[in-house]
Amino acid sequence: MAVLGIIFASFFLFSLQPSTSVEICRVSCGIQLIRFPFRLNNQPDRCGYPRFNLSCRNQAQPILSLPFSGDFNVVNIDYMFQNIWINDPDYCAPKRLLQGLNLSGTPFDLLYPRSYTFFNCSPASKELPEARYISCLSGTDFSVVAIPADLLDLSTSLSTSCLEIATVLVPFSWAGWSDPGNGIRLTWSEPNCLWCESRAGTCMFKSDTGLVVGCSGGFSNGLSKGAKYGIIFGVGIPLLLILALVIYLRGKANDYSYQHSNPEVLSNSVASRSETVAKGLDGQTIEAYPVTLLGESRRLLRPNDNTCSICLCEYQARENLRTIPDCKHYFHAICIDEWLKLNAACPLCRNTLEKSASTVLSSSSSSQ
Ligand SMILES: *[C@@H]1O[C@H](CO)[C@@H](O)[C@H](O)[C@H]1NC(C)=O
Ligand SMILES: *[C@@H]1O[C@H](CO)[C@@H](O)[C@H](O)[C@H]1NC(C)=O
């Protein structure tokens, strides 16, 4: 056991040694780490994927410039799930959505958009159940509200005291209505670094030209699938746990030295770290998700979707696929089970998942 430990530890020291090119492509802007696929404008082009360049205002605030919708503050980048949260520099994201968030010419998408109609109402107009009051757009003698467009015919009484402004797309169940600090979540699918990030590899360009992305510091991809599973779940998971421990201990040491200079940063970083650690689902919840044994015909629910996006292997006959009930995405059961133990979210759509097995069961039985 001790020998194994030493082997793992030396492997780590080795793989933690960053190459120079990786190092110069990792920079901070304020508290946000900028790395592949993002880069700052003053970094070499090969540090980031095209159209993922950010600027850094006052060496503290990363800025994303959208070609048709202007500049946004970057609130957070989640490299693991390929999400970026952006906000209006004046903390009035609804204003920017009302102007029309045009993502043409960017690699980003809005997840699950929902149409909302914005109204300018007299303050006397009575409260509507689904209406969102937008304080940063309202004044003393008028209030601006937004109502889901699909619920509009239920609230026809509105037209008397309200003037319609426009109908625009807003993220579904958006937290930004009530908390202006919450940004708008965008997601990207190209380049796909999900698999690389999930095994703590370094996602980067494979060569000095072209846009093919590879993963370094992880495990070799040229193995048979069986060997890959073996390595990933036999060695990878323990290795990841050790890595997490190493990072945690290093982080602790860093935090300790930070604490004396900046106690505020410390509390923030601890809060965000505990959020990212306690994210997995329990075994009971995972087991409750439906499993399908793939037949010889390999006929799938969605014929074009024949590759597991976790291990990037094609589905073969007699393999077990597990489906996430909420979004109906499916993966190799063996892959998604390990993933869900670490992350309570679908790797494809990043829909966060409920922890309770009972809610999953009741919702799936009621839909039949
Ligand atoms: C991003 O980088 C490209 C190439 O370096 C440059 O042409 C473009 O203006 C940059 N975009 C922004 C928003 O700075
Ligand atoms: C975004 O803006 C451009 C330029 O004004 C326009 O051509 C394009 O149709 C817009 N896209 C959307 C989705 O509104």
Side-chain angles (χ1 to χ4, degrees):
M1 194 59 212
V3 177
L4 270 182
I6 291 167
I7 293 173
F8 282 145
S10 49
F11 187 72
F12 263 122
L13 289 178
F14 211 51
S15 58
L16 279 177
Q17 214 65 34
S19 76
T20 340
S21 66
V22 170
E23 198 69 335
I24 61 166
C25 289
R26 294 169 74 94
V27 287
S28 291
C29 174
I31 57 163
Q32 182 63 57
L33 172 71
I34 312 288
R35 60 175 175 85
F36 193 88
F38 290 92
R39 69 174 175 91
L40 291 183
N41 277 334
N42 57 5
Q43 288 184 288
D45 279 0
R46 300 299 288 173
C47 282
Y49 209 74
R51 301 182 299 171
F52 279 81
N53 39 340
L54 307 173
S55 49
C56 188
R57 184 175 293 162
N58 301 330
Q59 290 162 19
Q61 178 58 63
I63 305 286
L64 175 68
S65 305
L66 301 177
F68 301 117
S69 297
D71 291 359
F72 286 83
N73 287 354
V74 174
V75 180
N76 184 34
I77 300 173
D78 175 356
Y79 291 97
M80 177 112 168
F81 286 97
Q82 306 196 164
N83 289 312
I84 179 171
W85 282 262
I86 60 172
N87 205 348
D88 178 42
D90 299 328
Y91 293 95
C92 191
K95 178 183 76 191
R96 304 297 293 274
L97 290 164
L98 187 54
Q99 288 164 357
L101 188 62
N102 182 334
L103 296 171
S104 304
T106 80
F108 306 109
D109 288 311
L110 203 57
L111 265 187
Y112 307 117
R114 187 179 191 185
S115 284
Y116 271 80
T117 304
F118 284 61
F119 293 92
N120 185 341
C121 298
S122 68
S125 64
K126 63 181 191 322
E127 284 282 309
L128 292 151
E130 283 289 329
R132 303 295 190 155
Y133 171 74
I134 301 157
S135 55
C136 65
L137 291 177
S138 301
T140 46
D141 52 355
F142 65 99
S143 51
V144 173
V145 299
I147 297 174
D150 47 300
L151 298 180
L152 267 187
D153 39 339
L154 304 177
S155 43
T156 33
S157 62
L158 195 71
S159 51
T160 52
S161 52
C162 297
L163 271 174
E164 187 172 330
I165 307 172
T167 298
V168 295
L169 294 178
V170 170
F172 202 84
S173 57
W174 184 41
W177 294 120
S178 47
D179 181 357
N182 258 303
I184 302 162
R185 176 167 66 153
L186 305 179
T187 178
W188 70 91
S189 47
E190 251 332 285
N192 187 342
C193 292
L194 284 172
W195 173 234
C196 185
E197 296 284 341
S198 74
R199 57 179 176 170
T202 302
C203 197
M204 59 201 298
F205 285 122
K206 263 191 169 157
S207 64
D208 288 341
T209 55
L211 295 181
V212 182
V213 167
C215 190
S216 84
F219 314 105
S220 163
N221 252 334
L223 295 168
S224 79
K225 191 165 46 175
K228 224 195 255 181
Y229 285 149
I231 290 177
I232 290 155
F233 300 125
V235 183
I237 301 294
L239 225 50
L240 273 180
L241 290 178
I242 299 173
L243 180 64
L245 189 68
V246 169
I247 291 175
Y248 175 73
L249 291 177
R250 282 168 55 135
K252 254 198 132 100
N254 284 346
D255 282 348
Y256 185 71
S257 53
Y258 230 6
Q259 197 169 12
H260 303 281
S261 55
N262 196 343
E264 224 180 281
V265 170
L266 174 74
S267 57
N268 279 346
S269 70
V270 168
S272 62
R273 179 166 312 130
S274 53
E275 246 172 51
T276 46
V277 168
K279 260 194 196 158
L281 290 180
D282 54 278
Q284 200 189 356
T285 306
I286 300 173
E287 284 303 314
Y289 288 178
V291 171
T292 317
L293 177 66
L294 203 54
E296 291 294 342
S297 65
R298 296 200 285 154
R299 202 168 55 85
L300 290 161
L301 284 72
R302 284 185 290 263
N304 298 330
D305 191 2
N306 60 351
T307 306
C308 171
S309 44
I310 299 180
C311 67
L312 305 178
C313 298
E314 246 184 61
Y315 298 123
Q316 305 295 331
R318 291 184 306 282
E319 280 183 332
N320 278 318
L321 309 190
R322 197 185 287 285
T323 310
I324 295 180
D326 296 4
C327 57
K328 307 275 185 287
H329 283 129
Y330 47 84
F331 310 89
H332 282 126
I334 186 172
C335 296
I336 192 66
D337 290 5
E338 292 304 324
W339 172 280
L340 290 176
K341 280 179 203 161
L342 300 171
N343 313 286
C346 169
L348 269 186
C349 59
R350 293 141 224 171
N351 208 1
T352 41
L353 304 167
E354 292 290 327
K355 296 221 174 205
S356 154
S358 54
T359 54
V360 171
L361 285 175
S362 61
S363 70
S364 63
S365 56
S366 65
S367 67
Q368 275 154 24

